[in-house]
Amino acid sequence: VTYCLAMRLDAGLIFLSDTRTNAGVDNVGTYRKLHVLHAGDDRTFVLQSAGSLATTHEVLSRIDRDLTDPGARQSLATVQHLFEAALYLGRLNKEVYAEHAPTVGLGAAATFILGGQIRHERPNILLVYPEGNYIRVSDTVPFLQIGETKYGKFLLELAVRAHVDLETAAKIALGSMLSTAHANLAVGPPYDAGLYRNGTFEVRELRIEEDNAYLRQLNEVWIDQLLDSISHLPPIPADLVEEFS
Amino acid sequence: VTYCLAMRLDAGLIFLSDTRTNAGVDNVGTYRKLHVLHAGDDRTFVLQSAGSLATTHEVLSRIDRDLTDPGARQSLATVQHLFEAALYLGRLNKEVYAEHAPTVGLGAAATFILGGQIRHERPNILLVYPEGNYIRVSDTVPFLQIGETKYGKFLLELAVRAHVDLETAAKIALGSMLSTAHANLAVGPPYDAGLYRNGTFEVRELRIEEDNAYLRQLNEVWIDQLLDSISHLPPIPADLVEEFS
């Protein structure tokens, strides 16, 4: 499995991916699932992937080839809008899937999150399906997830509700990742984060290892806070159930 | 979908089920998924179901028939241990599935949680698979879930970590249900709860409607507590990422 999430805040974008891959529990590996793509000074792209690792790698190879091939009819350097980048990515994804699906089947499918900024356009985040189409974040739902999305979703919704800033969103993203990794062994460290401030056209990348002291501290404080929350829940009223009040 | 959960505490058992059924979003209904089964003064059973409603209903009919048929080779009144009740239930489940699978296919499968107490045996909770076998709770994992289990699991794990009492566990069970219903529209109120104190052989049943004042209050306090928790998370250290500290 995989867990990747991306959030759009007023000041920028946050991306977080795990690195665990598995082809059965006796074949667990570590592969990067967050990629910063360089395609010019007026644009920046972050790509996150879930699903077939083989399809992901071939899509990445094709993106690179199109960027260096002067005869390419389209590339991340030529698209004018982020949604065109998503459709371009979707086309590559469909082509690679079509190439391998006859032998691999549905297991050849990959899903991507593509985020970034082109020129003065508002930074955005889009989810590209194996079928080649996409959805994007909105002001009411400013995050996207791929892979094992259910365990960590409540924290992202909480961040939306709290209108958090970029730094707090980063903490919450890590909390969402830790919740997911705790629940599903097929999601695990190290974690790759990408942090983008609007208009900078530069993504700050960092890899957070399992033994990172801050990650441990964050986890402990979060658990303590949750346990504390339990003690503040209101008592069940007598009329709801006599013997439990 | 469905969400049912059951927890074993030192003092007793807690069961909570939603009631929503759907055969497509334009065909949503309300059906009881929590059943207290009466089979004698020295035993008490609570049954929760997920999956095929038709299979569930036929299993319930067969349980009732066996209880009233003097010629039945086995019933919930004759079993000597809770695990035998689980195997009996598993046999009925397999039989009903086998009867309808040729026409219905995998959609005929149902999964059950069976909890309760027989005589002086320690109260227990078991999960009965469509294949007829079972697993049971343990002291380290004292809860079971069926249906849409992922969204609400973190709260149950928190309750385990906090070694909560029966009343607090009931609040946490409701919190787990509310989290799940919030995330998945196919899980919804009213909710049926069953509360059992060890040795009483009597299950206190209650139905909690959507507009219940306590449910709303619990939800609000819980959200407030979580939002408050966010403000207590430790700052991201400068060495982890300079520009975000």
Side-chain angles (χ1 to χ4, degrees), chain A residues 164-220:
Chain A
V164 298
D165 58 23
L166 204 51
E167 188 188 358
T168 306
K171 296 182 204 173
I172 289 175
L174 285 170
S176 179
M177 181 61 77
L178 291 172
S179 292
T180 306
H182 173 73
N184 188 332
L185 284 181
V187 172
Y191 306 114
D192 289 318
L195 308 167
Y196 180 69
R197 275 197 192 279
N198 295 350
T200 59
F201 298 102
E202 199 174 323
V203 177
R204 169 111 194 128
E205 288 183 83
L206 58 154
R207 170 157 285 200
I208 305 167
E209 301 289 341
E210 179 162 24
D211 60 356
N212 180 280
Y214 176 69
L215 206 62
R216 272 209 313 279
Q217 188 198 2
L218 185 69
N219 199 35
E220 281 163 19

Short mmCIF file of all heavy atoms in Angstrom, two decimals, chain A residues 164-220:
data_model
loop_
_atom_site.label_atom_id
_atom_site.label_comp_id
_atom_site.label_asym_id
_atom_site.label_seq_id
_atom_site.Cartn_x
_atom_site.Cartn_y
_atom_site.Cartn_z
N VAL A 164 -5.88 26.19 9.71
CA VAL A 164 -4.52 26.25 10.23
C VAL A 164 -3.57 26.93 9.24
O VAL A 164 -3.86 27.02 8.05
CB VAL A 164 -3.99 24.84 10.56
CG1 VAL A 164 -4.84 24.21 11.64
CG2 VAL A 164 -3.96 23.97 9.32
N ASP A 165 -2.44 27.38 9.77
CA ASP A 165 -1.41 27.96 8.92
C ASP A 165 -0.51 26.85 8.36
O ASP A 165 -0.70 25.66 8.65
CB ASP A 165 -0.58 28.99 9.70
CG ASP A 165 0.07 28.37 10.93
OD1 ASP A 165 0.26 27.13 10.98
OD2 ASP A 165 0.39 29.12 11.86
N LEU A 166 0.48 27.26 7.58
CA LEU A 166 1.30 26.28 6.86
C LEU A 166 2.07 25.37 7.83
O LEU A 166 2.13 24.16 7.64
CB LEU A 166 2.27 27.04 5.94
CG LEU A 166 2.84 26.33 4.72
CD1 LEU A 166 1.76 25.68 3.87
CD2 LEU A 166 3.64 27.33 3.86
N GLU A 167 2.61 25.97 8.89
CA GLU A 167 3.39 25.14 9.80
C GLU A 167 2.51 24.14 10.54
O GLU A 167 2.84 22.96 10.67
CB GLU A 167 4.16 25.98 10.83
CG GLU A 167 5.10 25.07 11.61
CD GLU A 167 5.81 25.73 12.79
OE1 GLU A 167 5.61 26.94 13.03
OE2 GLU A 167 6.56 25.03 13.48
N THR A 168 1.37 24.62 11.03
CA THR A 168 0.46 23.71 11.73
C THR A 168 -0.04 22.62 10.78
O THR A 168 -0.16 21.45 11.17
CB THR A 168 -0.73 24.50 12.31
OG1 THR A 168 -0.22 25.56 13.11
CG2 THR A 168 -1.62 23.62 13.15
N ALA A 169 -0.29 22.99 9.53
CA ALA A 169 -0.72 21.99 8.55
C ALA A 169 0.34 20.90 8.37
O ALA A 169 0.02 19.73 8.21
CB ALA A 169 -1.02 22.66 7.22
N ALA A 170 1.60 21.30 8.42
CA ALA A 170 2.68 20.32 8.28
C ALA A 170 2.66 19.34 9.45
O ALA A 170 2.83 18.12 9.26
CB ALA A 170 4.04 21.03 8.20
N LYS A 171 2.42 19.85 10.66
CA LYS A 171 2.32 18.96 11.83
C LYS A 171 1.15 17.99 11.66
O LYS A 171 1.24 16.80 11.98
CB LYS A 171 2.06 19.76 13.10
CG LYS A 171 3.14 20.72 13.52
CD LYS A 171 2.69 21.38 14.82
CE LYS A 171 3.36 22.72 15.04
NZ LYS A 171 2.79 23.42 16.20
N ILE A 172 0.03 18.53 11.18
CA ILE A 172 -1.16 17.70 11.03
C ILE A 172 -0.96 16.66 9.94
O ILE A 172 -1.40 15.51 10.06
CB ILE A 172 -2.38 18.60 10.75
CG1 ILE A 172 -2.72 19.35 12.04
CG2 ILE A 172 -3.57 17.79 10.26
CD1 ILE A 172 -3.82 20.36 11.89
N ALA A 173 -0.26 17.05 8.88
CA ALA A 173 0.05 16.08 7.83
C ALA A 173 0.87 14.93 8.41
O ALA A 173 0.61 13.76 8.12
CB ALA A 173 0.81 16.77 6.69
N LEU A 174 1.85 15.27 9.24
CA LEU A 174 2.67 14.22 9.87
C LEU A 174 1.81 13.36 10.80
O LEU A 174 1.95 12.13 10.84
CB LEU A 174 3.83 14.84 10.65
CG LEU A 174 4.98 15.37 9.79
CD1 LEU A 174 5.97 16.19 10.63
CD2 LEU A 174 5.73 14.22 9.11
N GLY A 175 0.90 13.99 11.53
CA GLY A 175 0.00 13.24 12.39
C GLY A 175 -0.87 12.28 11.60
O GLY A 175 -1.08 11.12 11.99
N SER A 176 -1.35 12.74 10.45
CA SER A 176 -2.17 11.89 9.58
C SER A 176 -1.36 10.70 9.07
O SER A 176 -1.85 9.57 9.01
CB SER A 176 -2.69 12.74 8.42
OG SER A 176 -3.47 11.98 7.53
N MET A 177 -0.10 10.96 8.73
CA MET A 177 0.78 9.88 8.27
C MET A 177 1.05 8.87 9.38
O MET A 177 0.99 7.66 9.17
CB MET A 177 2.08 10.48 7.75
CG MET A 177 3.08 9.47 7.21
SD MET A 177 2.46 8.51 5.79
CE MET A 177 2.63 9.71 4.45
N LEU A 178 1.31 9.37 10.60
CA LEU A 178 1.61 8.48 11.72
C LEU A 178 0.39 7.61 12.05
O LEU A 178 0.54 6.42 12.34
CB LEU A 178 2.04 9.29 12.94
CG LEU A 178 3.41 9.98 12.82
CD1 LEU A 178 3.65 10.92 14.00
CD2 LEU A 178 4.53 8.96 12.71
N SER A 179 -0.81 8.21 12.02
CA SER A 179 -2.03 7.43 12.28
C SER A 179 -2.17 6.30 11.27
O SER A 179 -2.56 5.18 11.61
CB SER A 179 -3.28 8.31 12.15
OG SER A 179 -3.33 9.26 13.16
N THR A 180 -1.87 6.60 10.02
CA THR A 180 -2.03 5.61 8.95
C THR A 180 -0.99 4.51 9.07
O THR A 180 -1.30 3.32 8.95
CB THR A 180 -1.94 6.30 7.58
OG1 THR A 180 -2.88 7.38 7.55
CG2 THR A 180 -2.23 5.33 6.46
N ALA A 181 0.25 4.92 9.34
CA ALA A 181 1.33 3.93 9.45
C ALA A 181 1.08 3.03 10.66
O ALA A 181 1.40 1.83 10.63
CB ALA A 181 2.68 4.64 9.58
N HIS A 182 0.50 3.60 11.71
CA HIS A 182 0.19 2.81 12.90
C HIS A 182 -0.86 1.74 12.57
O HIS A 182 -0.79 0.61 13.06
CB HIS A 182 -0.32 3.72 14.01
CG HIS A 182 -0.82 2.98 15.21
ND1 HIS A 182 0.03 2.34 16.09
CD2 HIS A 182 -2.07 2.72 15.65
CE1 HIS A 182 -0.69 1.75 17.02
NE2 HIS A 182 -1.96 1.97 16.78
N ALA A 183 -1.83 2.10 11.72
CA ALA A 183 -2.95 1.21 11.44
C ALA A 183 -2.63 0.20 10.35
O ALA A 183 -3.18 -0.89 10.32
CB ALA A 183 -4.18 2.02 11.05
N ASN A 184 -1.74 0.56 9.42
CA ASN A 184 -1.46 -0.32 8.28
C ASN A 184 0.05 -0.47 8.11
O ASN A 184 0.74 0.48 7.73
CB ASN A 184 -2.09 0.28 7.01
CG ASN A 184 -2.00 -0.67 5.83
OD1 ASN A 184 -1.08 -1.50 5.76
ND2 ASN A 184 -2.94 -0.58 4.91
N LEU A 185 0.53 -1.67 8.35
CA LEU A 185 1.98 -1.93 8.30
C LEU A 185 2.56 -1.72 6.90
O LEU A 185 3.76 -1.57 6.75
CB LEU A 185 2.27 -3.37 8.73
CG LEU A 185 2.18 -3.64 10.22
CD1 LEU A 185 2.53 -5.09 10.49
CD2 LEU A 185 3.11 -2.72 10.98
N ALA A 186 1.70 -1.72 5.90
CA ALA A 186 2.17 -1.54 4.53
C ALA A 186 2.41 -0.06 4.20
O ALA A 186 2.72 0.29 3.08
CB ALA A 186 1.19 -2.15 3.54
N VAL A 187 2.21 0.80 5.20
CA VAL A 187 2.56 2.22 5.08
C VAL A 187 3.64 2.48 6.12
O VAL A 187 3.45 2.13 7.29
CB VAL A 187 1.34 3.13 5.35
CG1 VAL A 187 1.75 4.60 5.40
CG2 VAL A 187 0.27 2.90 4.29
N GLY A 188 4.79 3.05 5.72
CA GLY A 188 5.84 3.21 6.72
C GLY A 188 6.94 4.16 6.35
O GLY A 188 7.02 4.62 5.22
N PRO A 189 7.81 4.47 7.34
CA PRO A 189 8.88 5.43 7.15
C PRO A 189 10.02 4.83 6.31
O PRO A 189 10.04 3.61 6.13
CB PRO A 189 9.34 5.71 8.58
CG PRO A 189 9.01 4.47 9.34
CD PRO A 189 7.79 3.89 8.69
N PRO A 190 10.97 5.66 5.88
CA PRO A 190 11.02 7.12 6.03
C PRO A 190 9.92 7.81 5.23
O PRO A 190 9.37 7.25 4.30
CB PRO A 190 12.41 7.49 5.51
CG PRO A 190 12.80 6.37 4.63
CD PRO A 190 12.16 5.14 5.18
N TYR A 191 9.64 9.06 5.64
CA TYR A 191 8.63 9.87 4.96
C TYR A 191 9.30 10.99 4.18
O TYR A 191 10.28 11.57 4.65
CB TYR A 191 7.65 10.45 6.00
CG TYR A 191 7.05 9.39 6.87
CD1 TYR A 191 7.31 9.34 8.23
CD2 TYR A 191 6.25 8.39 6.33
CE1 TYR A 191 6.77 8.34 9.04
CE2 TYR A 191 5.71 7.39 7.11
CZ TYR A 191 5.97 7.36 8.46
OH TYR A 191 5.45 6.37 9.25
N ASP A 192 8.76 11.27 3.02
CA ASP A 192 9.27 12.38 2.20
C ASP A 192 8.26 13.51 2.24
O ASP A 192 7.07 13.31 1.97
CB ASP A 192 9.46 11.92 0.75
CG ASP A 192 10.64 10.97 0.62
OD1 ASP A 192 11.68 11.24 1.25
OD2 ASP A 192 10.52 9.96 -0.09
N ALA A 193 8.74 14.70 2.56
CA ALA A 193 7.88 15.87 2.58
C ALA A 193 8.36 16.87 1.54
O ALA A 193 9.55 16.98 1.26
CB ALA A 193 7.88 16.52 3.96
N GLY A 194 7.41 17.57 0.98
CA GLY A 194 7.70 18.67 0.07
C GLY A 194 6.92 19.88 0.55
O GLY A 194 5.73 19.78 0.81
N LEU A 195 7.60 21.00 0.71
CA LEU A 195 6.97 22.21 1.24
C LEU A 195 7.17 23.32 0.22
O LEU A 195 8.30 23.61 -0.19
CB LEU A 195 7.61 22.59 2.58
CG LEU A 195 7.66 21.44 3.61
CD1 LEU A 195 8.58 21.79 4.76
CD2 LEU A 195 6.27 21.13 4.13
N TYR A 196 6.09 23.94 -0.18
CA TYR A 196 6.17 24.96 -1.22
C TYR A 196 5.49 26.24 -0.78
O TYR A 196 4.32 26.23 -0.40
CB TYR A 196 5.49 24.46 -2.50
CG TYR A 196 5.54 25.48 -3.62
CD1 TYR A 196 6.74 25.80 -4.22
CD2 TYR A 196 4.38 26.15 -4.03
CE1 TYR A 196 6.81 26.75 -5.23
CE2 TYR A 196 4.44 27.10 -5.04
CZ TYR A 196 5.66 27.40 -5.63
OH TYR A 196 5.72 28.35 -6.61
N ARG A 197 6.22 27.33 -0.79
CA ARG A 197 5.62 28.65 -0.52
C ARG A 197 5.25 29.30 -1.83
O ARG A 197 6.08 29.36 -2.76
CB ARG A 197 6.61 29.55 0.23
CG ARG A 197 6.59 29.33 1.71
CD ARG A 197 7.24 30.49 2.47
NE ARG A 197 7.43 30.09 3.85
CZ ARG A 197 6.49 30.11 4.78
NH1 ARG A 197 5.28 30.53 4.49
NH2 ARG A 197 6.75 29.70 6.01
N ASN A 198 4.04 29.81 -1.92
CA ASN A 198 3.53 30.41 -3.16
C ASN A 198 4.54 31.39 -3.77
O ASN A 198 5.12 32.22 -3.07
CB ASN A 198 2.24 31.18 -2.89
CG ASN A 198 1.11 30.26 -2.45
OD1 ASN A 198 1.24 29.05 -2.52
ND2 ASN A 198 0.02 30.86 -1.99
N GLY A 199 4.75 31.26 -5.07
CA GLY A 199 5.56 32.23 -5.79
C GLY A 199 7.06 32.02 -5.73
O GLY A 199 7.82 32.76 -6.36
N THR A 200 7.51 31.02 -4.97
CA THR A 200 8.96 30.82 -4.85
C THR A 200 9.53 29.94 -5.96
O THR A 200 10.72 29.99 -6.24
CB THR A 200 9.32 30.15 -3.51
OG1 THR A 200 8.64 28.87 -3.45
CG2 THR A 200 8.86 31.01 -2.34
N PHE A 201 8.70 29.10 -6.58
CA PHE A 201 9.14 28.15 -7.61
C PHE A 201 10.30 27.30 -7.14
O PHE A 201 11.18 26.93 -7.91
CB PHE A 201 9.46 28.89 -8.92
CG PHE A 201 8.25 29.58 -9.48
CD1 PHE A 201 8.08 30.95 -9.33
CD2 PHE A 201 7.25 28.84 -10.10
CE1 PHE A 201 6.94 31.57 -9.81
CE2 PHE A 201 6.11 29.47 -10.58
CZ PHE A 201 5.95 30.83 -10.44
N GLU A 202 10.27 27.03 -5.86
CA GLU A 202 11.31 26.17 -5.29
C GLU A 202 10.68 25.33 -4.20
O GLU A 202 10.05 25.88 -3.28
CB GLU A 202 12.42 27.05 -4.69
CG GLU A 202 13.71 26.32 -4.48
CD GLU A 202 14.80 27.30 -4.02
OE1 GLU A 202 14.81 28.46 -4.50
OE2 GLU A 202 15.59 26.90 -3.16
N VAL A 203 10.83 24.01 -4.29
CA VAL A 203 10.23 23.11 -3.31
C VAL A 203 11.30 22.70 -2.31
O VAL A 203 12.39 22.26 -2.69
CB VAL A 203 9.65 21.86 -4.00
CG1 VAL A 203 9.09 20.90 -2.95
CG2 VAL A 203 8.58 22.25 -4.99
N ARG A 204 10.99 22.91 -1.05
CA ARG A 204 11.89 22.45 0.01
C ARG A 204 11.57 20.98 0.29
O ARG A 204 10.47 20.65 0.69
CB ARG A 204 11.66 23.31 1.25
CG ARG A 204 12.31 22.82 2.47
CD ARG A 204 13.46 23.72 2.92
NE ARG A 204 14.26 23.01 3.91
CZ ARG A 204 15.56 22.87 3.85
NH1 ARG A 204 16.24 23.41 2.85
NH2 ARG A 204 16.21 22.20 4.77
N GLU A 205 12.54 20.12 0.05
CA GLU A 205 12.33 18.68 0.25
C GLU A 205 13.00 18.22 1.53
O GLU A 205 14.11 18.66 1.83
CB GLU A 205 12.96 17.90 -0.90
CG GLU A 205 12.24 18.00 -2.21
CD GLU A 205 12.94 17.12 -3.24
OE1 GLU A 205 12.66 15.91 -3.27
OE2 GLU A 205 13.77 17.65 -4.00
N LEU A 206 12.35 17.33 2.23
CA LEU A 206 13.05 16.72 3.35
C LEU A 206 12.60 15.28 3.52
O LEU A 206 11.46 14.93 3.21
CB LEU A 206 12.88 17.48 4.65
CG LEU A 206 11.50 17.76 5.23
CD1 LEU A 206 11.62 17.95 6.73
CD2 LEU A 206 10.93 19.02 4.62
N ARG A 207 13.53 14.47 3.98
CA ARG A 207 13.23 13.08 4.29
C ARG A 207 13.29 12.91 5.80
O ARG A 207 14.27 13.30 6.44
CB ARG A 207 14.22 12.15 3.59
CG ARG A 207 14.11 10.70 4.07
CD ARG A 207 14.63 9.70 3.07
NE ARG A 207 13.71 9.51 1.95
CZ ARG A 207 13.73 8.43 1.15
NH1 ARG A 207 14.62 7.46 1.35
NH2 ARG A 207 12.87 8.33 0.15
N ILE A 208 12.24 12.33 6.36
CA ILE A 208 12.15 12.17 7.81
C ILE A 208 12.26 10.68 8.12
O ILE A 208 11.42 9.88 7.71
CB ILE A 208 10.82 12.73 8.35
CG1 ILE A 208 10.67 14.20 7.91
CG2 ILE A 208 10.76 12.61 9.87
CD1 ILE A 208 9.27 14.75 8.11
N GLU A 209 13.32 10.33 8.85
CA GLU A 209 13.57 8.92 9.15
C GLU A 209 12.72 8.46 10.34
O GLU A 209 12.22 9.27 11.12
CB GLU A 209 15.06 8.72 9.48
CG GLU A 209 16.01 9.14 8.37
CD GLU A 209 15.97 8.20 7.15
OE1 GLU A 209 15.48 7.05 7.29
OE2 GLU A 209 16.42 8.63 6.06
N GLU A 210 12.61 7.14 10.45
CA GLU A 210 11.78 6.56 11.50
C GLU A 210 12.21 7.01 12.89
O GLU A 210 11.38 7.24 13.77
CB GLU A 210 11.87 5.02 11.41
CG GLU A 210 11.05 4.30 12.47
CD GLU A 210 10.82 2.85 12.08
OE1 GLU A 210 11.62 2.32 11.30
OE2 GLU A 210 9.83 2.27 12.55
N ASP A 211 13.54 7.13 13.11
CA ASP A 211 14.04 7.43 14.46
C ASP A 211 14.14 8.93 14.71
O ASP A 211 14.76 9.35 15.69
CB ASP A 211 15.39 6.75 14.68
CG ASP A 211 16.42 7.24 13.66
OD1 ASP A 211 16.06 8.03 12.76
OD2 ASP A 211 17.59 6.82 13.76
N ASN A 212 13.55 9.73 13.86
CA ASN A 212 13.60 11.18 14.04
C ASN A 212 12.99 11.59 15.38
O ASN A 212 11.88 11.18 15.72
CB ASN A 212 12.84 11.85 12.88
CG ASN A 212 12.85 13.35 12.98
OD1 ASN A 212 12.07 13.94 13.73
ND2 ASN A 212 13.75 13.99 12.26
N ALA A 213 13.73 12.38 16.14
CA ALA A 213 13.30 12.73 17.50
C ALA A 213 11.99 13.54 17.49
O ALA A 213 11.13 13.33 18.34
CB ALA A 213 14.40 13.52 18.21
N TYR A 214 11.86 14.44 16.54
CA TYR A 214 10.65 15.26 16.50
C TYR A 214 9.42 14.42 16.19
O TYR A 214 8.35 14.61 16.78
CB TYR A 214 10.79 16.38 15.47
CG TYR A 214 9.51 17.17 15.34
CD1 TYR A 214 9.07 17.99 16.37
CD2 TYR A 214 8.71 17.05 14.20
CE1 TYR A 214 7.88 18.69 16.28
CE2 TYR A 214 7.52 17.75 14.10
CZ TYR A 214 7.11 18.56 15.14
OH TYR A 214 5.92 19.23 15.05
N LEU A 215 9.58 13.47 15.28
CA LEU A 215 8.47 12.60 14.92
C LEU A 215 7.97 11.83 16.15
O LEU A 215 6.77 11.71 16.39
CB LEU A 215 8.94 11.62 13.84
CG LEU A 215 7.89 11.06 12.91
CD1 LEU A 215 7.23 12.15 12.10
CD2 LEU A 215 8.51 10.02 11.96
N ARG A 216 8.92 11.34 16.93
CA ARG A 216 8.56 10.63 18.17
C ARG A 216 7.83 11.54 19.14
O ARG A 216 6.81 11.19 19.73
CB ARG A 216 9.81 10.05 18.84
CG ARG A 216 10.20 8.67 18.36
CD ARG A 216 10.93 7.88 19.44
NE ARG A 216 11.96 8.68 20.09
CZ ARG A 216 13.18 8.88 19.59
NH1 ARG A 216 13.54 8.32 18.46
NH2 ARG A 216 14.06 9.63 20.24
N GLN A 217 8.38 12.75 19.30
CA GLN A 217 7.79 13.73 20.22
C GLN A 217 6.37 14.09 19.78
O GLN A 217 5.44 14.14 20.58
CB GLN A 217 8.67 14.97 20.26
CG GLN A 217 8.27 15.98 21.34
CD GLN A 217 8.85 17.35 21.08
OE1 GLN A 217 9.52 17.57 20.07
NE2 GLN A 217 8.60 18.29 21.99
N LEU A 218 6.22 14.34 18.49
CA LEU A 218 4.92 14.71 17.94
C LEU A 218 3.89 13.63 18.24
O LEU A 218 2.76 13.89 18.67
CB LEU A 218 5.03 14.93 16.44
CG LEU A 218 3.79 15.44 15.72
CD1 LEU A 218 3.49 16.88 16.12
CD2 LEU A 218 3.96 15.35 14.20
N ASN A 219 4.30 12.39 18.03
CA ASN A 219 3.42 11.25 18.26
C ASN A 219 3.01 11.16 19.74
O ASN A 219 1.84 10.98 20.06
CB ASN A 219 4.14 9.97 17.84
CG ASN A 219 3.17 8.83 17.60
OD1 ASN A 219 2.06 9.04 17.12
ND2 ASN A 219 3.59 7.63 17.95
N GLU A 220 3.98 11.36 20.63
CA GLU A 220 3.70 11.26 22.06
C GLU A 220 2.76 12.36 22.53
O GLU A 220 1.80 12.12 23.26
CB GLU A 220 5.01 11.31 22.87
CG GLU A 220 5.74 9.98 22.87
CD GLU A 220 7.19 10.12 23.29
OE1 GLU A 220 7.54 11.15 23.91
OE2 GLU A 220 7.99 9.21 22.97
#
